[in-house]
Amino acid sequence: MGFVTDSLHKGVRHEKNSDATLPPICQVSAFGFQDMETLEDVFNGKAAGFAYTRIGNPTVAAFEQRISALEHGFGAVATSSGMAAISQALLNFLSTGDEIIASGGLYGGTIQLFTLFRQLGITVHYANDLSSSVLEKILTPNVKAVFAEVISNPALKITDLKSLADFCHSHSLPLLVDSTTATPFLVNPIDFGADIVIHSSSKYINGTSNSISGVIIDSGKFDWDFDRYPALKAYSKFKKMAYLMRLRKDSWASLGGCLSPFNAYMNIIGLETLGLRMERICNNAHKLALALSKIPGTNVNYPLLGIENDEQNSLCKTQLKGFGGGILTLRTGSREKTFKTINSLKLATVASNIGDVRTLVIAPAKTLYLHNTEEEMHAAGVYEDTIRVSVGIEDAEDLIEDFTQALKSAL
Ligand SMILES: *Cc1c(COP(=O)(O)O)cnc(C)c1O
């Protein structure tokens, strides 16, 4: 089936005895039972059912099943935010003294989280170049995982998933990827060897900026060595499912980052049009990037703009179905020109998020990167004159006209 067909039908379980086309919103904190025996059985996993929304909720489960199916996963756990997804995905198996390798130029919030990890005794090594020879040199016996963004935000660097997964697996390490900016429409990282896929579903999956949320999808394929990953040892009887079982039953439930049922419902609605929106957004982004790159004085970064068949360009073709994603960045030459351009735009909303149906713009330097060092900022491709554009579904001609007039008035 095609992606849009799948997003309407795959992982969808219609409620028994109900004709509802969408899952009911079970906006409750707890579930009542006829008798004590049944509640005890639910707690002990002897009967199916839901007891308390922090530990499970039917509307949230419906979202988890659908996103897991779309990502070719074995199972998923939804979280209160994308940051909750990243922190819980890693804390589910890391212990004090462990180290991880992460791609350079990560989302600012993730860099901030990794700084906090230092307090817990977890060290993060950054690698701007993810080739095996470079990673080989960084590797220590304490490195327990590799974390990368599929299309980095906002450096817009595309990770070669297959080659990175091969490196990881040759060293018995799991590969975790943040695929927020790619979405399952552009790529299923599990098919390229990734073991755990993470999304901030606050962005493209939700699609209209109405809810904060995240999700962790487990491929169920990684062969955990329980002596190397003692945090998962108590779940060793579940073998390759140990990661997901510990996440659901222990770390996610205890850290308390559950998703609101209402937000899960909003995400299900979003998922059903993800393919349509992404196709339009990516085509718009490509057209806008091409048009703006012709304006003298602007410097546009968009993965498909590279020289024909350069590495990034080829990765768009082999990994992202020929698309270059929905984000582009441009530089104007100065902070003043950047602010003037942004303030002259009529169609773009000045906002800090991405993945909306409307076009969003921001100067990320002293906003998104406020808490990062200059070095971290530059590694993420952010300078004081950078504008990040999260392209929406407006008509491409209108966007081109608006950005052209704004740039011409500022440059
Ligand atoms: C937004 C974002 C996050 C964080 O997600 P929240 O839902 O805001 O917590 C993580 N990674 C990437 C790439 C993002 O764009």
Side-chain angles (χ1 to χ4, degrees):
M1 297 288 178
F3 183 84
V4 178
T5 312
D6 274 349
S7 54
L8 291 163
H9 300 288
K10 213 173 164 190
V12 177
R13 223 188 265 165
H14 287 291
E15 294 297 307
K16 273 189 213 124
N17 312 319
S18 157
D19 296 325
T21 52
L22 285 164
I25 308 173
C26 298
Q27 189 70 13
V28 295
S29 46
F31 298 81
F33 287 80
Q34 294 300 333
D35 52 64
M36 193 50 225
E37 285 80 1
T38 318
L39 180 56
E40 199 175 75
D41 284 349
V42 168
F43 260 79
N44 289 292
K46 287 183 190 151
F50 297 92
Y52 190 55
T53 287
R54 174 161 52 73
I55 295 156
N57 175 286
T59 319
V60 177
F63 170 58
E64 290 169 340
Q65 277 152 21
R66 290 175 78 143
I67 185 73
S68 177
L70 276 183
E71 275 293 21
H72 306 169
F74 170 74
V77 169
T79 56
S80 53
S81 69
M83 290 317 304
I86 298 171
S87 49
Q88 296 179 35
L90 288 162
L91 294 176
N92 189 44
F93 68 97
L94 293 177
S95 308
T96 300
D98 284 348
E99 300 168 20
I100 64 169
I101 298 176
S103 56
L106 291 176
Y107 173 74
T110 308
I111 300 174
Q112 220 184 317
L113 171 72
F114 289 171
T115 308
L116 187 149
F117 270 15
R118 263 188 241 143
Q119 280 176 25
L120 307 176
I122 297 166
T123 309
V124 180
H125 304 279
Y126 290 103
N128 287 325
D129 177 349
L130 296 175
S131 59
S132 302
S133 56
V134 171
L135 296 180
E136 211 79 62
K137 288 195 194 99
I138 302 175
L139 215 53
T140 74
N142 294 331
V143 168
K144 298 290 172 67
V146 174
F147 178 93
E149 284 175 6
V150 176
I151 309 174
S152 66
N153 168 21
L156 308 181
K157 199 162 172 233
I158 300 162
T159 298
D160 184 339
L161 294 172
K162 169 88 175 54
S163 116
L164 189 57
D166 286 348
F167 169 84
C168 290
H169 298 156
S170 70
H171 292 89
S172 304
L173 297 169
L175 172 62
L176 292 89
V177 296
D178 177 340
S179 196
T180 300
T181 46
T183 81
F185 173 70
L186 294 186
V187 61
N188 291 123
I190 288 171
D191 295 349
F192 289 84
D195 300 291
I196 313 286
V197 180
I198 300 161
H199 289 283
S200 163
S201 35
S202 320
K203 315 291 172 53
Y204 294 101
I205 288 174
N206 173 276
T208 53
S209 305
N210 63 53
S211 309
I212 296 291
S213 64
V215 65
I216 305 163
I217 300 122
D218 183 8
S219 66
K221 289 181 181 160
F222 189 71
D223 207 353
W224 299 93
D225 170 348
F226 298 108
D227 291 325
R228 259 189 108 200
Y229 298 94
L232 297 178
K233 204 159 194 163
Y235 293 83
S236 57
K237 70 170 182 199
F238 296 105
K239 301 202 165 67
K240 289 185 179 178
M241 273 77 237
Y243 176 91
L244 191 67
M245 293 307 278
R246 187 188 187 216
L247 186 64
R248 184 167 289 291
K249 294 197 176 300
D250 185 349
S251 44
W252 169 76
S254 302
L255 288 165
C258 65
L259 179 59
S260 141
F262 184 78
N263 291 359
Y265 176 81
M266 296 311 279
N267 288 348
I268 290 169
I269 303 214
L271 265 187
E272 298 193 334
T273 58
L274 178 64
L276 296 180
R277 286 183 284 110
M278 282 307 284
E279 189 174 352
R280 169 87 166 198
I281 285 171
C282 294
N283 284 334
N284 275 358
H286 193 193
K287 287 181 195 161
L288 186 62
L290 277 173
L292 300 186
S293 65
K294 295 191 183 110
I295 300 177
T298 61
N299 187 343
V300 180
N301 179 22
Y302 185 67
L304 278 178
L305 282 189
I307 318 148
E308 190 68 21
N309 294 328
D310 74 355
E311 195 216 354
Q312 292 288 298
N313 215 308
S314 308
L315 281 172
C316 289
K317 291 188 186 114
T318 54
Q319 224 175 250
L320 304 178
K321 300 183 184 165
F323 292 104
I327 301 172
L328 58 97
T329 62
L330 56 115
R331 296 183 63 184
T332 60
S334 75
R335 175 182 153 91
E336 289 66 38
K337 287 177 187 169
T338 279
F339 274 53
K340 191 154 186 235
T341 304
I342 290 178
N343 294 338
S344 308
L345 288 165
K346 296 186 176 81
L347 293 179
T349 306
V350 183
S352 59
N353 64 327
I354 56 165
D356 201 335
V357 282
R358 33 221 114 250
T359 296
L360 312 172
V361 288
I362 190 167
K366 290 205 167 72
T367 50
L368 304 177
Y369 285 81
L370 188 63
H371 301 289
N372 300 109
T373 63
E374 194 158 307
E375 197 188 344
E376 288 166 351
M377 195 174 92
H378 292 170
V382 173
Y383 299 86
E384 65 164 15
D385 64 337
T386 300
I387 303 176
R388 184 187 70 186
V389 187
S390 170
V391 180
I393 62 169
E394 296 92 344
D395 292 283
E397 299 70 29
D398 295 332
L399 291 176
I400 292 168
E401 195 178 309
D402 191 27
F403 276 81
T404 306
Q405 68 76 24
L407 281 163
K408 287 198 170 145
S409 76
L411 294 175

